[in-house]
Amino acid sequence: MLKRRLGRTDLDVSVLCFGGNVFGWTTDAAQSAAVLDAFVEAGGNFVDSADAYSRWVPGNSGGESEVILGQWMKDRGNRADVIVATKLGSPMGEGKQGLSRKYMVQAAEDSLKRLQTDYIDLYQAHRDDQETPLEEIMAAFDDLIKQGKVRWIGASNFSAARLAQANEVAKQCGWHRYESIQPPYHLLQRSDYEAELEPLCQRDEIGVITYSSLASGFLTGKYHRGGELPKSGRAGGVQQRYMNEKGWAVLAAVEGVAKRLGATPAQVALAWIASRPGMTGPIASATTPAQLEELVGGIDLNLDDAAIGTLDRSSR
Ligand SMILES: NC(=O)c1ccc[n+]([C@@H]2O[C@H](COP(=O)([O-])OP(=O)(O)OC[C@H]3O[C@@H](n4cnc5c(N)ncnc54)[C@H](OP(=O)(O)O)[C@@H]3O)[C@@H](O)[C@H]2O)c1
């Protein structure tokens, strides 16, 4: 699978990053292992998780995704071949959230233990924390890097202004900066990212890995106007957010391009993200090896100018 350098790191990541919020939610340990096996077999090496995955599932307490990923790496003996991205800062229980130094130290230890590893390749702030001074946050990340527990750091769900500010603090103090941003971005949600983050990331060579790249499955084309909803834990949310006139219009354009190019809608949706300037690549999750194989095909798909024009016009 095509690889790209993430920001100014030394990480050559597969353009498709596998999204690990399915582990312990819509895929159990065995199914997660099957999908991960298919991913590495297809040449993927980049997996995204978070401490908070999948805390929203009744009976879960958070950490399930990291536990499944850690056990899979241990069983396969492939830790050195996998680029592990995880996150901290989202609520994990009473007093366990945010980016205070004290909590960051604890959260990193907890993630390392669940992942059964002694380093995290890309440690990401899951969301901004405006209560904690940026100096405290960036110093704590830098210490984790100096201790060898973390190799590189990234951010998720940050505004461009806050990302730039945090990196400026790091620069002034000689600390490591955020090398990547993980924003929500897909054909149905473009403007926030394109207005400010995209130019900043291009200017400062910050890697970009997008989430909800398939609009949680809507852009695969399996949702139909007036039809029965697919059996998926995501279907209710998809219906609420994307099953509207704009959603159907964009999906029609995606399906049209897919038909002309002999590809599938999911492949077109991912290829479009991968074609954006300065883009590292899309994160996407899959619940079966078959779904995963389809997604991998999107990374090899070249969209011609006509295809990009059609997709842009329908989604702006
Ligand atoms: N940083 C953040 O705040 C944040 C937030 C959300 C997500 N993320 C990251 O991004 C990853 C992916 O995001 P996401 O789960 O929102 O959604 P997504 O990648 O947009 O959609 C993935 C879902 O679409 C369905 N799907 C995938 N391939 C398919 C195919 N070939 N055919 C039919 N259906 C297919 C599967 O769900 P079903 O089978 O259930 O339909 C799959 O789980 C997460 O795992 C996580 O790593 C990060």
Side-chain angles (χ1 to χ4, degrees):
M1 198 186 309
L2 183 66
K3 304 231 171 26
R4 286 181 184 159
R5 185 57 60 103
L6 182 75
R8 292 182 189 150
T9 71
D10 61 359
L11 302 174
D12 288 322
V13 298
S14 51
V15 168
L16 179 64
C17 175
F18 190 83
N21 76 354
V22 285
F23 307 149
W25 175 25
T26 46
T27 57
D28 61 14
Q31 185 73 0
S32 303
V35 176
L36 281 166
D37 285 341
F39 181 62
V40 295
E41 243 163 66
N45 65 354
F46 192 22
V47 183
D48 179 65
S49 186
D51 55 3
Y53 297 169
S54 43
R55 197 165 182 270
W56 54 88
V57 180
N60 282 3
S61 51
E64 291 79 11
S65 169
E66 290 181 334
V67 166
I68 287 176
L69 176 58
Q71 190 58 46
W72 172 77
M73 291 190 294
K74 182 158 190 240
D75 291 345
R76 301 294 183 269
N78 65 0
R79 172 64 189 94
D81 304 324
V82 180
I83 296 175
V84 175
T86 194
K87 318 184 193 78
L88 79 166
S90 283
M92 281 290 282
E94 189 64 34
K96 295 171 85 177
Q97 67 179 68
L99 300 171
S100 70
R101 170 186 282 275
K102 185 163 177 270
Y103 178 60
M104 287 175 68
V105 169
Q106 183 59 52
E109 290 304 324
D110 292 348
S111 283
L112 288 169
K113 204 188 236 170
R114 286 188 293 259
L115 288 162
Q116 302 193 52
T117 182
D118 52 7
Y119 69 98
I120 293 163
D121 295 283
L122 180 68
Y123 202 30
Q124 303 159 102
H126 207 152
R127 53 176 78 175
D128 195 4
D129 174 357
Q130 306 213 13
E131 310 286 305
T132 307
L134 283 174
E135 287 75 9
E136 178 176 338
I137 300 170
M138 301 314 282
F141 270 128
D142 198 64
D143 284 349
L144 289 170
I145 293 175
K146 287 195 179 111
Q147 290 160 11
K149 294 176 180 174
V150 166
R151 296 194 59 211
W152 303 97
I153 57 170
S156 181
N157 300 308
F158 276 40
S159 68
R162 287 281 293 175
L163 178 61
Q165 221 182 328
N167 278 354
E168 186 55 33
V169 166
K171 187 176 170 190
Q172 293 301 327
C173 298
W175 298 327
H176 282 82
R177 64 169 201 164
Y178 290 127
E179 289 293 343
S180 64
I181 181 75
Q182 181 176 147
Y185 183 62
H186 50 80
L187 276 160
L188 284 161
Q189 187 173 351
R190 298 183 55 174
S191 53
D192 285 352
Y193 168 73
E194 288 178 21
E196 293 181 356
L197 275 169
E198 190 175 66
L200 172 73
C201 293
Q202 279 185 265
R203 188 195 72 189
D204 291 354
E205 296 176 284
I206 296 170
V208 183
I209 47 177
T210 62
Y211 76 79
S212 294
S213 310
L214 298 168
S216 302
F218 180 75
L219 292 171
T220 65
K222 69 181 177 183
Y223 290 80
H224 303 286
R225 202 195 279 261
E228 211 179 300
L229 291 178
K231 294 207 181 347
S232 160
R234 291 168 188 77
V238 168
Q239 182 178 36
Q240 221 175 6
R241 273 173 292 157
Y242 307 122
M243 291 175 72
N244 51 43
E245 285 316 311
K246 180 171 181 202
W248 297 126
V250 171
L251 184 59
V254 172
E255 286 173 335
V257 168
K259 196 165 176 209
R260 184 172 67 77
L261 298 181
T264 69
Q267 291 171 339
V268 169
L270 295 183
W272 176 80
I273 292 176
S275 76
R276 291 295 304 179
M279 179 62 60
T280 309
I283 305 173
S285 59
T287 50
T288 64
Q291 283 188 354
L292 191 271
E293 275 156 34
E294 180 182 338
L295 303 187
V296 169
I299 300 307
D300 298 328
L301 179 66
N302 274 320
L303 296 178
D304 53 27
D305 289 348
I308 291 191
T310 302
L311 297 169
D312 277 344
R313 278 191 302 280
S314 75
S315 59
R316 276 235 165 88

